[in-house]
Amino acid sequence: MDPKIIFYIIIGIIVLNFLFDKIIGYLNGTKYDAPIPELLKDVYDTDEYKKSQAYKKENSKFSNVSGLVSILITLAFFFLDGFAWVDGIARSFSSNEIVITLIFMGIISLGSSLVSLPFSYYHTFVIEEKFGFNKTTKKLFWLDLIKGLFLSMILGGGILTLITWFYEEVGQNFWIYAWVLVSIVSIFMNMFYSKLIVPLFNKQTPLEGGELKEEITNFAKKVGFTIDKIFVIDGSKRSTKANAYFSGFGREKRIVLYDTLINDLETKEIVAVLAHEVGHYKRKHIIFNLILTILLTGFTLFILSLLVNKPIFSEALGVSIPSFHVGLVAFAILYSPISEITGIIMNVISRKFEYQADNYAKDHYDGKYLISSLKKLSKNSLSNLTPHKAMVFVHYSHPPLLARVQNLLKK
């Protein structure tokens, strides 16, 4: 096959992905002015609903502008032989393929970060600030950026180094070793993310004794669930939006509550949210998602091993010397339609799991408290109460609020 055909297939995929995303966004936008569903009338008053509509519309305009700029820069980079230019820079520093790969990917990642940086800054300090969400200082914004880049260099660079080394040493069967490596890292991060990574960005403190802890302890005893690691995270230093999550398993499992969640909700509502998180654990959702992610990773790496060493992919991107890193970029784009499909499937499964966790909270605590907590959280984050079905199907990992309330009201 002519490398030019591969090149235009890649360009076609990039453009179609962009158009698909914009069509979904447009359809979602047609629902912005829809009336509030009857079951959710108590979420917003008239002024608050107007504010939520303005927030949705402003974010939509921002997404359209940032997306358009991003795709134009991407297409210019492709048509101006940007990959050949970056590959030449990388090869000017070393003849070692691992070093070349790290420099090449490092430049691409840095360039992508620089393109997105102004948009990230604007979204944080203009849009989020305008609607009262932002609590991030400029100093904290830049510190987060530096820490994030450092982590990417250490973790991402380390994994990429080993995968490239596997490829150099064993050839096409490198995917097996890469799969084992990524699986180990995934399990390790799932267990220790809150313990090792989160403290780099946020302060976590054990939940102090009092009414909330007593209520949580009583619930845990009732359902036979050991909770000896409950932490409060200082999410309020970045945003007013609230959250809670469950991480790890075995002796490393822990519940993390945002301080904003504790401030926004009543005690029984917080326990209802926690009951939902316990439901995920009891229904083995965390383990299932981890196993499914590992299997999908193995499948992806296997397909990569069949294609990455084909010289035509490097030639399609204008690079004369066949190389692992350029083949990796070409594969990532060519594989993206499959990735989109698997992402949709994962979202379908995730939404099903959310219903199951909601049902667990309803059956073992009290559904009315979960309903009231979900409504408060939606109100405080100016959530979209009327998303388009296409947006939900493609992008939502959680069911929309109306669907969750309807499910919780079932007998």
Side-chain angles (χ1 to χ4, degrees):
M1 185 181 291
D2 191 333
K4 287 185 178 180
I5 295 177
I6 299 294
F7 174 80
Y8 285 110
I9 290 174
I10 289 173
I11 296 298
I13 289 173
I14 292 172
V15 173
L16 286 175
N17 281 344
F18 172 79
L19 293 176
F20 178 73
D21 187 58
K22 293 305 129 186
I23 289 171
I24 296 294
Y26 169 78
L27 291 173
N28 198 47
T30 63
K31 305 285 285 183
Y32 286 164
D33 293 321
I36 302 176
E38 193 63 35
L39 281 175
L40 306 180
K41 288 286 187 181
D42 55 340
V43 175
Y44 296 124
D45 61 27
T46 302
D47 290 338
E48 289 167 341
Y49 190 50
K50 287 181 179 178
K51 184 178 179 182
S52 77
Q53 290 172 309
Y55 182 60
K56 289 179 289 189
K57 291 174 182 178
E58 188 137 353
N59 272 310
S60 179
K61 290 178 183 177
F62 172 79
S63 176
N64 288 335
V65 172
S66 61
L68 180 60
V69 172
S70 178
I71 193 173
L72 290 176
I73 292 175
T74 299
L75 292 176
F77 189 80
F78 273 81
F79 280 102
L80 296 175
D81 290 329
F83 291 106
W85 175 67
V86 175
D87 185 69
I89 293 174
R91 293 185 183 281
S92 70
F93 282 93
S94 176
S95 59
N96 183 287
E97 284 299 321
I98 294 177
V99 175
I100 293 170
T101 297
L102 289 175
I103 295 174
F104 179 90
M105 290 299 186
I107 293 173
I108 297 294
S109 298
L110 181 60
S112 178
S113 297
L114 290 174
V115 169
S116 63
L117 178 58
F119 296 107
S120 176
Y121 188 91
Y122 181 88
H123 187 264
T124 299
F125 293 106
V126 177
I127 297 179
E128 294 294 285
E129 188 85 33
K130 177 180 177 180
F131 288 91
F133 293 127
N134 180 51
K135 296 298 179 183
T136 303
T137 63
K138 291 180 173 61
K139 178 181 178 181
L140 185 59
F141 177 87
W142 293 111
L143 280 175
D144 283 348
L145 179 67
I146 293 169
K147 289 177 183 177
L149 289 173
F150 179 76
L151 274 178
S152 296
M153 288 171 58
I154 299 299
L155 294 177
I159 293 171
L160 183 60
T161 296
L162 288 173
I163 291 177
T164 307
W165 182 70
F166 293 150
Y167 177 78
E168 291 291 308
E169 291 296 315
V170 300
Q172 189 170 331
N173 288 330
F174 83 95
W175 74 273
I176 300 173
Y177 300 89
W179 187 22
V180 172
L181 170 68
V182 174
S183 299
I184 291 172
V185 171
S186 296
I187 294 170
F188 180 84
M189 292 300 291
N190 190 281
M191 290 186 67
F192 298 105
Y193 174 79
S194 288
K195 191 174 183 178
L196 299 178
I197 304 300
V198 172
L200 297 175
F201 298 90
N202 289 91
K203 183 180 180 181
Q204 296 178 107
T205 55
L207 178 64
E208 296 180 355
E211 180 190 7
L212 177 57
K213 189 164 187 179
E214 183 178 347
E215 188 74 17
I216 290 173
T217 302
N218 291 337
F219 166 74
K221 288 180 180 178
K222 175 186 172 183
V223 298
F225 185 78
T226 303
I227 305 179
D228 53 8
K229 294 180 180 178
I230 309 171
F231 290 87
V232 179
I233 189 172
D234 59 341
S236 58
K237 74 178 186 179
R238 289 186 178 81
S239 175
T240 63
K241 295 178 180 178
N243 196 11
Y245 65 89
F246 194 109
S247 71
F249 43 85
R251 290 187 299 177
E252 293 300 326
K253 66 178 184 290
R254 63 169 61 190
I255 296 285
V256 179
L257 306 172
Y258 277 53
D259 56 356
T260 45
L261 185 84
I262 295 175
N263 294 332
D264 290 348
L265 303 183
E266 303 296 329
T267 296
K268 289 185 179 298
E269 292 171 335
I270 296 170
V271 179
V273 172
L274 187 143
H276 169 94
E277 298 300 330
V278 171
H280 281 305
Y281 187 87
K282 286 284 190 176
R283 297 290 184 251
K284 305 289 192 287
H285 296 161
I286 296 171
I287 299 296
F288 180 89
N289 282 333
L290 182 60
I291 292 173
L292 186 57
T293 299
I294 289 172
L295 291 176
L296 282 173
T297 300
F299 173 75
T300 303
L301 287 169
F302 173 69
I303 301 300
L304 171 64
S305 71
L306 299 178
L307 302 175
V308 73
N309 62 344
K310 306 295 184 185
I312 192 171
F313 292 116
S314 295
E315 293 172 17
L317 297 185
V319 180
S320 58
I321 304 175
S323 54
F324 176 78
H325 53 274
V326 180
L328 189 60
V329 171
F331 169 80
I333 299 168
L334 291 168
Y335 187 77
S336 62
I338 298 176
S339 181
E340 185 75 28
I341 293 170
T342 57
I344 290 173
I345 294 171
M346 291 290 282
N347 280 338
V348 170
I349 294 171
S350 176
R351 291 193 297 271
K352 180 180 179 181
F353 285 172
E354 292 302 318
Y355 285 129
Q356 291 178 359
D358 282 353
N359 290 338
Y360 182 90
K362 178 178 68 174
D363 294 340
H364 293 85
Y365 195 65
D366 194 328
K368 71 180 182 182
Y369 293 117
L370 184 56
I371 289 173
S372 62
S373 67
L374 291 173
K375 286 182 175 181
K376 284 184 180 179
L377 293 173
S378 294
K379 174 184 176 180
N380 293 345
S381 61
L382 297 179
S383 294
N384 185 3
L385 302 185
T386 57
H388 194 279
K389 290 181 180 180
M391 176 63 76
V392 174
F393 180 72
V394 174
H395 292 299
Y396 274 40
S397 62
H398 288 54
L401 178 62
L402 178 61
R404 295 182 73 174
V405 171
Q406 289 171 331
N407 175 66
L408 286 165
L409 289 175
K410 290 178 182 176
K411 294 183 179 180

